[in-house]
Amino acid sequence: MAIRINGSDVAVPDDARVSLLDLLREGLHLTGTKVGCNQGACGACTVLIDGQRVLSCLTLAAQADGRSVTTIEGLGSGSDLHPLQVAFIEHDGFQCGYCTPGQICAAAAMLREVEAGIPSYVTADLAAERLTLSREEVRERMSGNLCRCGAHNGIVEAILRVAAEHAA
Amino acid sequence: MSKTQNAIISSVRTVMGWVPAQWLPGGTPDPLIERRAAIGRQASRLDGPLKVAGEARFAAEVAMDRLCYAALVHSPVTRGRITRLDTGAAETAPGVILVMTHRTMPRIGTLPLIGITDLSAVGNSSIPIMLDAEIRYNGQVVAAVVAETQEQADHAASLIEIDYAIDAARTRFQDARPDARTPASLLMDKNHVSIGNAERELKRAPHRVDNMYRTPAQNHNAIELHAVTAAWEGDSLVLHDATQMIAPSAAALAKLFGLKREQVRVLSPFVGGGFGGKGLWDHQIVAIAAARLAGRPLRLMLSREGVYRMIGGRSPSEQRVAIGADAEGRFTALLHTGYSVMPPYGACPEPYTLGTRALYGARSFEIMQRHLDLDIVPNTFMRAPGEAIGSFAVESAIDELAHAMGVDPIALRLRNLPERHPISGAPFSQHALGQAYAEGAKRFGWDRRHAEPGTVREGEWRIGMGCATGSFPYARMPGANVRITLRGDGTAVIACSAQEMGMGTATVQAQHAADRLGLPLEAISVELGDSALPAAPMAGGSSQTASIAGAIAAAATKLAGELLRLAGNDSPIAGLRAGEVQLVEEGIASIADPTRRESYRSILARAAREAIAVTAAGSAPLEFLKFAMHSSSAIFCELRVSAVTGEVRVDRLLGSFDCGTILNPKTAASQFRGGMIMGLGLALMEETLFDERSGRIMNPSLADYHIPAHLDVPEIDVIWTGIPDPRSPLGARGIGEIGITGVAAAVANAVFNATGKRIRDLPITLDKLL
Amino acid sequence: MTPISYSRATSVAEAGRLADGAGARLLGGGTNLVDLMRKGVERPSRLVDVSGLSDAIELARSGSLVIGAAARNSAVAAHPLVRQRYPMLARAILAGASAQIRNMATVGGNLMQRTRCLYFADVAGSRCNKREPGSGCDAVGGFNRYHAVLGTSPACIAAHPSDMCVALAALDARVQVSGPGGDRMIPLVDFHRLPGDRPDRDTVLDPGEVIVAVELPASPFAGRSAYRKVRDRSSYAFALVSVAAGLTMREGRIEEVAIAFGGIAPKPWRASRAEAVLRGGPAAGAAFAAAADAELADAAPLAGNAFKLALTRRTLEAVLSELTGGSL
């Protein structure tokens, strides 16, 4: 019984009610993952499980048993920032910084989804194998991450920049 | 706010009118307006690396030994009293440490309400906090459970049984009108303004509009939930709080709990959004009391529902705006009256008519607000209180008048721009709304707008453009203190208790201090967010930047005096007085003869000092009592309305701002955009659903209270005049709130241009356009 | 949240066994159930995690596409066969919730999700017959903007929240369930119940029954189908009205047609009356209007949701016009 979190094995808590979010924040002091609603309505708690973005507030820690979790702390820190983290600073993709880790985790997974050719609600041709990452596509795909300070333009800009650099 | 207050403020204003400008703060323009290096530069946020890595510590993220967790129980009843309280099951539930109710809550006083006379008066409500069995509003906190884990506390809270005797409650906006109160003043201004006979002028006017506008209740919805981690260390209290009023909270809590000011330390280095909502409410006090009873450090994070239940938002309003104009479009009458909610136990009026006084000239005015008394969670200030919704009514009305007269709405506005403040007659310190309109209109392509509504169509989409004026007054608060520590290695630390909620406070004040002290930006570090630092006022009224800037300027002057003293008689600057020197190029130099200078390093080395520190308070903010100091903006919007579904999609939004000097274009643009996006929410989707049958908020969640999602937000263009205000520190006026103002009207006006439908009732949801 | 035990089922039979009994709930992605547990709407003592059961998406010999109940919503929407043969379903799934939630939510869980009625969610302060039968309904005289206009009862006006199920209803999907009484196939349109006087029962599932898979028969509509969702925010919001529609044309006339509505009924609403009006008829505005009239004839709107009649009508007409007009 263990959850792999940022490369280290962590025991599943005894209390089955404990969410992955609470395990991270209260149990492990990995407070980069944020709580904004605790009900799946804001995206601040986004983490990656086996590479896919999910909401840690609605994931019971027990459900993550045997799986691999990456949080913002595992994505990059200090002098080893992820390109998205760098781009968020450069394009001012945040103000208060509270929704930011969730936005960045979501964006990291989202870029992989696009690479895999997975369409979105605004993709015109669902059967197409290749996607063009327009602004509208980024916005729709990031809509599960709310931001109240209104850093949306900077977030989209940062993501597009990283996507372009990656493609180049 | 009383008649006495009106008399005092009006006499101070009268005196200020006689005092020569040079005697006042801002009388001589701040020299940094002309001499800038770091100010005005694009600078990334200093706290960026921490925030993107998730390493910025928020209030609920402080690790502590023996930490316990609290959960709250809220009254589902609106008025009445508790008749039975059974906490037995909760107390014996696993992990529970204690249950606190009005029976066990330590006896404390009540908070002084937010006011302008006492800066530690920060209470949003005068209702006793969990001290009696009375229920005054739906959602009031009635019990707290403390347990070893959050899960245990939450579960035990659900086991508490409470019976209530229910009394009739006042919950209906329309029913409360007959008993409406007419306050004597609104914040610093008289409530009732009557110049000429506006009703008569309106009747006589060849052109007129006269309509009602309605705006719903709204909530701040900062993504970070309200949270505290409270720890008693003996008789001293350490509170990690999510607050936008650090020093005032510390002072207020000390009074409330009978402690000395030094016994309370409030820390809040980062706040996950505030917008007016992160003040001192019941939850901090309950948490502090519970931590004391538990004898352990305690964490309380409100649930999202809890935030709606016990943190008030923006009041709903019903506003009448009537404008009369002569044949040339000059306003002969401007009437703005209406109702909003402010229970007697609340502290915060929603001053939606304040902006109306400063924007347009008119031959006659009739302006007055009335307060309705409902049994609700006390409403509070939310981003641009007053202006955000007042501008919706007035700027919609002007658009209606322009359409009725067949003139361009920008031309109509420009025709009525005043030379001086229309009510007080005070001169504007700086005012360039006309220029903001001209530049905004050009960049936006306003000339491509079709004046006739409903004429542009693309497939199922009707397309329209609209514009509106936004405005917000300048403010600088008294009681701002800053410590500057200048080190022998040529670096400096700026320290004060101010708050960082995303405005970029540290970044911008580092830029300021660099220029003020003549140091490179890299040499400056900024410490904020701790009440142990020199006290700064709360973050409110878009005043923080100017308030701290004023204090840094005062401290720099004091520092110059200290350096002169320290330099002594063996220095090239010997004999100069404080007024004759300036701080430039990492040293102090004669203004008259810049070759007479000595570097900081040299002075400190010679005096064998590692560092010198000075603390100073900003001057009394009298400048805005003499001058009319207002920021303004021209907001432009282009949108589509589906002819099929009524859905509105905003395609383009532009804000052209006149806000004085822009200190950091990168963070300023973000603040403008952020305000404008909240304005989009206000226009199109935000509404706190208050069930008037029960007095209960029914959508206390981010799933059911919609704020804009990424797909709702277009690229937003932001420009500014950048003309310095000669009366303010750095020439800057606050920019945190003006962004939201005018946006709802610009959207509503664009919807009218697209469809021919005038929506006077926010939010503009699709059903109103079917 | 009440204390719970958690276990993982390794087979359908085990899931059925573990779930048979008071206080047990099957757990898919948890996106709805965990939220309802936190609110106190659901108070199970035992969770049986069925997300490890079959999530396969495979073509059966019959030509049907069989989707394991544990398949994540995002996996279904991304599957090439779904995108090519059932684009309406892919679009419907992609219209729902957010990418994160779609990555978590399972197909079985989506079928079982409960209404988003504000009064249903408000345990402490509101009456709700769905939550507590016989207690009353505070939605009727309250905020009912999101509520149903078709198929309601005096006891309940709650709307079904799913997007995915609306497409499944239009696609003649069948739900394969397994239980103590054996296996059975339930047409999707019969899977959810109308409230009547038992609004607490959302579906026809019997105790101990487990959803195994959803079967999609071969569809003739891949070339002309759509899912259009109308909502208060452009993304990450539940539908006010949604329309799933597919049709085939022959010599300028509508040959086959399937239509389902979301957001306006207690269950995914197959618009059979509208289909009957359209089938074999001309692809013309008058026919579209007549179809909407037929389907909405029995509607029972309330103060807050009366606009849905016009909105449904207009959205249906627009979708039909688009599907019959171009070479979609």
Side-chain angles (χ1 to χ4, degrees), chain A residues 42-44 46 53 99 102-103 106 142-147, chain B residues 710, chain C residues 100 236:
Chain A
C42 78
T46 301
R53 47 178 166 164
C99 73
Q103 302 271 2
M142 290 299 293
S143 280
N145 290 79
L146 301 181
C147 168
Chain B
H710 275 287
Chain C
Q100 288 94 317
Y236 204 11

Side-chain angles (χ1 to χ4, degrees), chain B residues 274-305:
Chain B
F275 317 114
K278 292 251 173 82
L280 190 56
W281 293 85
D282 294 7
H283 67 282
Q284 289 106 326
I285 290 151
V286 168
I288 292 164
R292 171 135 252 184
L293 290 185
R296 289 170 58 171
L298 176 147
R299 182 166 295 158
L300 171 60
M301 175 175 261
L302 298 189
S303 64
R304 180 56 66 181
E305 179 185 352

Side-chain angles (χ1 to χ4, degrees), chain B residues 385-586:
Chain B
E387 275 83 354
I389 56 172
S391 64
F392 165 66
V394 172
E395 294 296 314
S396 292
I398 291 178
D399 197 70
E400 297 193 53
L401 181 64
H403 179 73
M405 294 181 67
V407 303
D408 181 83
I410 297 178
L412 182 62
R413 289 181 172 95
L414 297 183
R415 210 166 294 170
N416 288 285
L417 291 188
E419 291 289 318
R420 300 168 80 86
H421 190 279
I423 308 298
S424 72
F428 286 109
S429 56
Q430 179 272 325
H431 197 53
L433 178 58
Q435 183 180 332
Y437 261 111
E439 290 169 0
K442 184 159 182 252
R443 189 167 168 111
F444 190 74
W446 181 253
D447 57 354
R448 297 202 308 272
R449 170 178 176 268
H450 293 243
E452 187 56 35
T455 48
V456 184
R457 195 159 172 160
E458 220 178 81
E460 72 169 65
W461 298 95
R462 299 181 190 280
I463 296 170
M465 287 189 198
C467 71
T469 304
S471 76
F472 204 72
Y474 164 84
R476 186 163 71 85
M477 291 210 191
N481 298 274
V482 161
R483 182 174 65 225
I484 301 178
T485 306
L486 184 64
R487 298 196 188 113
D489 63 0
T491 63
V493 184
I494 308 299
C496 72
S497 74
Q499 24 281 311
E500 166 52 45
M501 317 186 288
M503 313 86 104
T505 308
T507 312
V508 165
Q509 296 298 351
Q511 290 175 276
H512 169 203
D515 286 3
R516 186 71 68 186
L517 302 177
L519 290 172
L521 183 56
E522 305 72 48
I524 307 288
S525 54
V526 178
E527 292 175 3
L528 302 173
D530 182 348
S531 67
L533 299 172
M538 67 163 150
S542 296
S543 65
Q544 180 162 273
T545 298
S547 303
I548 300 174
I552 290 177
T557 304
K558 196 168 170 185
L559 180 67
E562 279 292 304
L563 288 166
L564 283 171
R565 197 181 56 76
L566 217 54
N569 294 329
D570 299 333
S571 167
I573 55 171
L576 292 171
R577 285 176 306 182
E580 298 167 340
V581 294
Q582 57 181 347
L583 306 177
V584 287
E585 292 171 28
E586 307 185 38

Side-chain angles (χ1 to χ4, degrees), chain C residues 16-40:
Chain C
R17 210 163 48 242
L18 290 168
D20 195 7
R25 285 281 189 289
L26 300 182
L27 177 70
T31 55
N32 188 209
L33 181 56
V34 171
D35 181 32
L36 291 175
M37 286 164 62
R38 259 190 211 123
K39 291 187 169 113

Side-chain angles (χ1 to χ4, degrees), chain C residues 133-151:
Chain C
S135 64
C137 170
D138 277 336
V140 169
F143 293 111
N144 44 47
R145 177 179 179 76
Y146 284 91
H147 290 70
V149 293
L150 289 171

Side-chain angles (χ1 to χ4, degrees), chain C residues 83-109:
Chain C
R83 284 154 66 184
Q84 288 154 16
R85 300 186 183 189
Y86 309 95
M88 175 207 300
L89 175 61
R91 185 83 67 191
I93 291 173
L94 293 169
S98 70
Q100 288 94 317
I101 291 173
R102 297 193 294 269
N103 277 338
M104 302 167 71
T106 62
V107 166

